[in-house]
C-alpha cells in the first residue's frame, strides 16, 4: 500500500525499500525524505534510521551540511575555529509531488527551504532493478537547481576547516553490526586507504550483505568518496571535497549513484561484475 507520503519499492515482486516523502522529523535533524528500510532480496536490512550514534542519519537520501550557511544535514554545524556548534540554521527538503510513481521507482520534485526562503529545487529520480537472484540495483539521481537570483554555494565541514570531513551529497547510513564492515575498491582496501579518494566503485561488506556504490556519470566519479566503517558504517559522495561547489542562478548540479544491494559477501571480481551490469553506458 502506498500513499502520497510514502511508497514501497519492489524488485521481482519483493519489497526492497520504503520511501518516506513527508516524514515527521524534528527541525534539528533537517527534515528530508529518505529510504528506510532498504533490504537485500532475502530481506536483510542494510540501512539504519536515527541510530543512537547519529540521530540525524536517515537511511538513504541526500543531505548537505552547508548550503549558503544553512544546515541540510542535521545535528550540529561545524564552524571554523569553533568546531561543531549548535545553531538554529536547519533547513528542510519539502516534497512537492511525484511526477511518476511505479512499483520499481519514482520521479519526485522537492524544494530546499531555509529561513522561509527557497534555495534549491530538486528533481529526484529513483529506480530499482533486478541484477541476479541475490542482487538488485538502486539507481539514484538528484538534480539541484538554484532557485534564487544569486549564486548558491554548497560546502562541507572540510571546506569550513575540518580535514577529512567532506561529507554532503548522496549518503547511505548502513547497518551497524558487531564488527565494522570491510571497505574496498578495485585497488584499495580499508577505510584509511579508501576515504577521500576517487574510485569508479566502492564496496561495503557486512556479515551477510554487500553494498557496492558506483558513480554513474563522469561528474559523479570525479567526486571523492566519504567513508566511515570503524566509527559507524556509512558511505557518501562528496559534493564539496576541498572547494565549495557554486551553482549559478538557474544552474543545476546533477549527480547519479547506482548502488548494488547484494546478499552475501562479494569479492572484488563479483563486485566489479555487478557494477558493470548495473551501470548502463
Amino acid at each position: 500500500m502506498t500513499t502520497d507520503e510514502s511508497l514501497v519499492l519492489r524488485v521481482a515482486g519483493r519489497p526492497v525499500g520504503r520511501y518516506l516523502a513527508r516524514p515527521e522529523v524534528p527541525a534539528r535533524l533537517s527534515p528530508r525524505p529518505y529510504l528506510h528500510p532498504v533490504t537485500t532480496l532475502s530481506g536483510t536490512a542494510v540501512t539504519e534510521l536515527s541510530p543512537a550514534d547519529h540521530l540525524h542519519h536517515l537511511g538513504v537520501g541526500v543531505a548537505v551540511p552547508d548550503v549558503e550557511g544553512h544546515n541540510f544535514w542535521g545535528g550540529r554545524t561545524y564552524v571554523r575555529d569553533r568546531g561543531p556548534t549548535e545553531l538554529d540554521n536547519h533547513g528542510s527538503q519539502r516534497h512537492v509531488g511525484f511526477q511518476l510513481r511505479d512499483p520499481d521507482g519514482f520521479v519526485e520534485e522537492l524544494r530546499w527551504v531555509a529561513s522561509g526562503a527557497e534555495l534549491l529545487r530538486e528533481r529526484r529520480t529513483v529506480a530499482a532493478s533486478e541484477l541476479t537472484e541475490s542482487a538488485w540495483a538502486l539507481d539514484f539521481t538528484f538534480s539541484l537547481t538554484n532557485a534564487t537570483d544569486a549564486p548558491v554555494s554548497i560546502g562541507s565541514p572540510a571546506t569550513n576547516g575540518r580535514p577529512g570531513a567532506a561529507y554532503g551529497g548522496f549518503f547511505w547510513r548502513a547497518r551497524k553490526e558487531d564488527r565494522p564492515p570491510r571497505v574496498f575498491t578495485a585497488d584499495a582496501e580499508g577505510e584509511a586507504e579508501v576515504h577521500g579518494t576517487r574510485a569508479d566503485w566502492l564496496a561495503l561488506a557486512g556479515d551477510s550483505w554487500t553494498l557496492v556504490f558506483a558513480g554513474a556519470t563522469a561528474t559523479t566519479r570525479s567526486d571523492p568518496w566519504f567513508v566511515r566503517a570503524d566509527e559507524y558504517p556509512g558511505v557518501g559522495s562528496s559534493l564539496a571535497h576541498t572547494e565549495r561547489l557554486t551553482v549559478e542562478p538557474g544552474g543545476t548540479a546533477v549527480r547519479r549513484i547506482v548502488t548494488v544491494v547484494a546478499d552475501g559477501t562479494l569479492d572484488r571480481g563479483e563486485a566489479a561484475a555487478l557494477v558493470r551490469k548495473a551501470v548502463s553506458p
Side-chain angles (χ1 to χ4, degrees):
M1 179 178 180
T2 62
T3 69
D4 287 340
E5 287 74 38
S6 66
L7 55 82
V8 176
L9 288 177
R10 298 181 183 274
V11 170
R14 285 176 280 189
V16 293
R18 186 171 186 85
Y19 188 72
L20 278 295
R22 293 191 182 99
E24 294 184 4
V25 176
R28 183 185 174 277
L29 305 185
S30 298
R32 57 194 184 273
Y34 59 78
L35 279 157
H36 176 80
V38 176
T39 71
T40 66
L41 288 174
S42 72
T44 299
V46 289
T47 54
E48 285 198 5
L49 179 69
S50 288
D53 55 64
H54 290 79
L55 294 176
H56 50 278
H57 287 180
L58 308 179
V60 180
V62 183
V64 178
D66 181 354
V67 180
E68 286 295 318
H70 301 283
N71 185 338
F72 287 86
W73 176 269
R76 295 180 294 174
T77 296
Y78 187 86
V79 179
R80 188 181 298 274
D81 300 324
R82 289 176 60 189
T85 305
E86 287 285 354
L87 297 177
D88 184 18
N89 67 337
H90 295 90
S92 64
Q93 297 171 23
R94 299 181 183 176
H95 169 81
V96 175
F98 290 110
Q99 275 60 57
L100 173 71
R101 185 172 56 188
D102 288 323
D104 62 351
F106 60 88
V107 178
E108 180 188 23
E109 298 287 341
L110 305 102
R111 300 170 64 234
W112 290 45
V113 176
S115 298
E118 181 180 11
L119 299 175
L120 298 166
R121 294 172 188 163
E122 180 189 347
R123 168 163 286 198
R124 184 173 299 184
T125 303
V126 175
S129 61
E130 185 177 20
L131 297 175
T132 68
E133 291 183 352
S134 59
W136 64 280
L138 181 73
D139 193 332
F140 193 114
T141 301
F142 63 97
S143 304
L144 301 176
T145 299
N146 184 345
T148 77
D149 58 4
V152 167
S153 178
I154 294 172
S156 68
T159 62
N160 293 337
R162 183 184 175 190
Y167 51 84
F170 173 87
F171 182 70
W172 188 304
R173 173 57 198 251
R175 172 179 180 164
K176 194 169 188 177
E177 299 177 318
D178 291 337
R179 58 182 178 178
R182 179 190 174 201
V183 180
F184 61 96
T185 64
D187 52 14
E189 180 83 27
E191 178 182 345
E193 295 299 319
V194 174
H195 173 69
T197 66
R198 294 174 176 85
D200 288 351
W201 59 264
L202 179 158
L204 200 69
D207 289 341
S208 63
W209 52 269
T210 305
L211 302 172
V212 190
F213 305 89
T217 65
T219 301
T220 309
R221 287 189 291 273
S222 71
D223 292 335
W225 293 105
F226 173 84
V227 187
R228 289 288 184 265
D230 292 340
E231 180 186 358
Y232 64 83
V235 172
S237 184
S238 302
L239 287 176
H241 181 59
T242 56
E243 297 181 356
R244 298 181 71 89
L245 172 66
T246 299
V247 183
E248 298 296 335
T252 302
V254 183
R255 298 294 189 272
R256 179 184 171 210
I257 301 284
V258 176
T259 306
V260 174
V261 182
D263 280 298
T265 53
L266 306 179
D267 60 26
R268 279 190 170 85
E270 292 168 328
L274 284 172
V275 166
R276 287 194 295 270
K277 189 172 184 177
V279 180
S280 57

